[in-house]
Amino acid sequence: MSQVTQNALADLIIGLADNKYALGRRFSEWTNGAPTLEAAVAAAAMTQDELGHARSLYAALSSMPDAPEAYTREEKRDRRFNLSLLDAPFASWAEFVAACALLDRALSLVFEAARESRYEPLRQRAGKILQEEKFHRLYAEGWLKRLAANAGTRAAAQAAVNRVWAPTAQWLASAYNGTLTADGTLSESADSLRARWIVEMKSLLNERGMEANEQ
Amino acid sequence: MNNETILQDGFAVNNEAVGNEHVNRAHIARAAALPADLPLWAALDDVADPEFPISVVDMGLIYGLRCDGGAVFVMLTFTAMGCPCMDFIVEDIRARLLREPGVDSVQIEIVWDPPWTRNRLTEKGKERLRRFGVAI
């Protein structure tokens, strides 16, 4: 693997790991405050999954011989690569649901592109992460439907979707560069993933009487 | 980030027990796979999963067991990536294998492929779980 590819791969993995970690932290805040007891349990389970994914990705990164110390050594990390919308707690349960439905799904699309990766540590983890993410997706889509069924909660859900949409779409388009698709680390370009995400999300939202805000 | 590196048995390990690239893969490849009836498998059968009353072997967590002289290599998976018992399981496996005569070192590689499913449970494991009221 060339140095350029290794650098691109390290950039990709730190982005995925930091987003998983931040998402886990944000999910954890709803283990005590979700609208139902069942939702609190789900938030706890999804927290555990996301932090587990992050842990595994950080381990993959630390095993790369040339990974920058700014990524692998906690004391040298001067920035995190998660979306800024994950820097503060979700303001509402609707934001939890929107982040799970849109952002967590966007992260999963990258792992789908890594399912046949020629970089084994990423390929191995992708399969397991996608196995676990299946339930997150079902859960988020179910809650989105539930929130959209009522005019009052639909407005809150729409506002949350609007907040998550643009930064997620932007992140997905820049999550990695062409180096990783050219060398077989990922099977699909970031632009293509973003386009697929938009189609999927529009369908998800429209089925629930909601809209995609592409501004 | 919680993946501090420590040294044990001469190899770097981290909080995912052992990152895939920290183990000596060439050495693993040279080591002989051990048939299921050998004592090291029986030793692993003594290691209980902390959450269920069955062994890590019956849980289907052991994807491979190899040996080269006194060096033992274990390919281990977990039921979930967020398993809170990873460190316990790894250390229990290591400690139990090091009690076997002739075992000088134990290297444990965490593998995720294929992802664990309940189909990995042995028949003995399924039976025990049913007796404890776990639906299989």
Side-chain angles (χ1 to χ4, degrees), chain B residues 16-83:
Chain B
E16 197 174 58
V18 265
N20 288 337
E21 268 53 57
H22 291 303
V23 293
N24 186 330
R25 298 196 112 184
H27 198 176
I28 292 178
R30 285 198 304 274
L34 296 178
D37 57 350
L38 285 192
L40 288 182
W41 277 103
L44 282 180
D45 211 25
D46 287 344
V47 180
D49 184 291
E51 292 185 278
F52 294 103
I54 66 175
S55 77
V56 292
V57 175
D58 287 327
M59 276 298 284
L61 300 183
I62 309 298
Y63 279 18
L65 182 60
R66 288 172 172 258
C67 183
D68 182 25
V72 176
F73 305 92
V74 181
M75 271 62 76
L76 173 70
T77 197
F78 295 100
T79 55
M81 286 184 124
C83 172

Side-chain angles (χ1 to χ4, degrees), chain A residues 170-213:
Chain A
Q170 195 177 354
W171 175 82
L172 196 48
S174 60
Y176 52 92
N177 61 36
T179 310
L180 296 180
T181 39
D183 102 312
T185 302
L186 295 172
S187 63
E188 203 171 338
S189 73
D191 277 342
S192 166
L193 277 193
R194 179 180 178 273
R196 201 147 61 81
W197 178 83
I198 288 174
V199 169
E200 189 184 302
M201 292 301 107
K202 278 186 173 174
S203 165
L204 175 75
L205 295 170
N206 292 342
E207 282 169 13
R208 287 155 180 77
M210 297 171 67
E211 291 172 359
N213 181 349

Side-chain angles (χ1 to χ4, degrees), chain B residues 91-103:
Chain B
E91 286 317 309
D92 287 353
I93 287 173
R94 186 187 307 283
R96 180 62 188 88
L97 290 175
L98 284 171
R99 279 179 17 221
E100 287 297 293
V103 174

Side-chain angles (χ1 to χ4, degrees), chain B residues 1 28 33-34 49 80 88 106 118 123 131 135:
Chain B
M1 184 159 57
I28 292 178
L34 296 178
D49 184 291
F88 298 133
V106 176
R118 66 184 66 185
E123 285 309 312
R131 266 192 276 140

Side-chain angles (χ1 to χ4, degrees), chain A:
Chain A
M1 188 184 287
S2 72
Q3 191 60 50
V4 172
T5 306
Q6 285 194 48
N7 293 345
L9 184 58
D11 290 347
L12 169 70
I13 295 177
I14 195 70
L16 291 169
D18 279 354
N19 274 300
K20 286 279 182 186
Y21 178 70
L23 199 55
R25 291 288 300 274
R26 297 287 80 92
F27 282 175
S28 75
E29 288 151 358
W30 288 86
T31 60
N32 184 18
T36 67
L37 182 57
E38 187 207 358
V41 172
M46 290 195 285
T47 296
Q48 196 171 341
D49 286 343
E50 296 302 341
L51 295 182
H53 300 167
R55 170 171 63 179
S56 184
L57 292 164
Y58 286 132
L61 197 58
S62 69
S63 71
M64 290 177 69
D66 293 324
E69 286 195 337
Y71 292 177
T72 59
R73 295 179 68 90
E74 186 61 30
E75 71 276 15
K76 299 208 170 176
R77 296 212 58 193
D78 54 6
R79 65 169 288 208
R80 298 272 170 187
F81 294 88
N82 56 274
L83 277 74
S84 59
L85 71 90
L86 297 176
D87 285 341
F90 297 137
S92 65
W93 177 249
E95 284 193 6
F96 178 112
V97 172
C100 193
L102 276 69
L103 171 54
D104 206 8
R105 178 64 188 138
L107 294 168
S108 290
L109 283 176
V110 179
F111 290 107
E112 284 181 8
R115 209 196 277 270
E116 304 296 331
S117 176
R118 59 192 290 263
Y119 183 62
E120 189 199 350
L122 187 58
R123 183 178 72 239
Q124 278 220 2
R125 287 164 173 81
K128 184 67 180 175
I129 288 170
L130 290 169
Q131 180 196 49
E132 298 185 346
E133 284 292 336
K134 247 187 301 187
F135 302 103
H136 296 205
R137 187 179 175 187
L138 285 172
Y139 192 75
E141 291 180 2
W143 257 102
L144 206 53
K145 187 174 181 182
R146 192 168 169 181
L147 294 175
N150 172 290
T153 50
R154 185 168 60 244
Q158 184 66 61
V161 164
N162 293 348
R163 180 163 181 260
V164 174
W165 182 281
T168 303
Q170 195 177 354
W171 175 82
L172 196 48
S174 60
Y176 52 92
N177 61 36
T179 310
L180 296 180
T181 39
D183 102 312
T185 302
L186 295 172
S187 63
E188 203 171 338
S189 73
D191 277 342
S192 166
L193 277 193
R194 179 180 178 273
R196 201 147 61 81
W197 178 83
I198 288 174
V199 169
E200 189 184 302
M201 292 301 107
K202 278 186 173 174
S203 165
L204 175 75
L205 295 170
N206 292 342
E207 282 169 13
R208 287 155 180 77
M210 297 171 67
E211 291 172 359
N213 181 349
E214 295 190 64
Q215 298 308 307

